[in-house]
Amino acid sequence: MSPQNLIEAARMARKNAYCPYSRFPVGAALLAASGKVYTGANCECASYGGTLCAERAALAAAVTAGEREFLALAIAGGNQPLTPCGICRQLLSEFAENRDFPVYCAPAEGEDCLHTTIRALLPHSFGARDL
Ligand code: THU
């Protein structure tokens, strides 16, 4: 699947975001090694700290379906290429044995996308190998 198709899937998922507090919808699409794509949208909570980001929603959906290996992630939201928050970087890192795991960061609309990697997003990371 092309980066553009994965970004499109993230943009579709973004339409289902539940974000009455921030009004900042985000979508994510995760390509599993099986070839299946799992999507997520942010889900907010009146107790703000309970908010779930789109990336972790997509990861949870994939893991629940039995997936453990992933090939790429796309996220979409805002006016400029949206990069994952720190908590999402850490959870993504858990499943990104390949540190060159691609992360396609897109705005809600337009062509201005940032293609990066988990290595660049979370350098010197802590992980299972450190335990
Ligand atoms: N959010 C995401 O879903 N992913 C990100 O990468 C950044 C932030 C959500 C959380 C919250 O619902 C809203 O965007 C504003 O922070």
Side-chain angles (χ1 to χ4, degrees), residues 19 22 24 26 42 44 51-55 75 82-85 88:
C19 54
S22 73
F24 189 80
V26 180
N42 52 334
E44 296 186 344
T51 290
L52 181 63
C53 290
E55 299 90 319
I75 63 177
L82 184 68
T83 53
C85 81
C88 291

Side-chain angles (χ1 to χ4, degrees), residues 26-119:
V26 180
L30 187 60
L31 176 62
S34 65
K36 290 187 185 159
V37 174
Y38 297 85
T39 58
N42 52 334
C43 181
E44 296 186 344
C45 180
S47 176
Y48 300 159
T51 290
L52 181 63
C53 290
E55 299 90 319
R56 278 176 292 137
L59 258 166
V63 167
T64 302
E67 303 283 3
R68 295 292 184 274
E69 285 179 45
F70 303 103
L71 300 179
L73 173 79
I75 63 177
N79 297 322
Q80 52 199 28
L82 184 68
T83 53
C85 81
I87 300 168
C88 291
R89 291 178 198 206
Q90 186 68 38
L91 189 66
L92 267 176
S93 179
E94 179 75 23
F95 293 96
E97 252 169 56
N98 165 21
R99 304 305 293 167
D100 295 318
F101 178 85
V103 182
Y104 309 126
C105 304
E109 291 171 16
E111 304 305 310
D112 183 20
C113 299
L114 170 73
H115 290 199
T116 186
T117 64
I118 192 67
R119 186 198 304 284

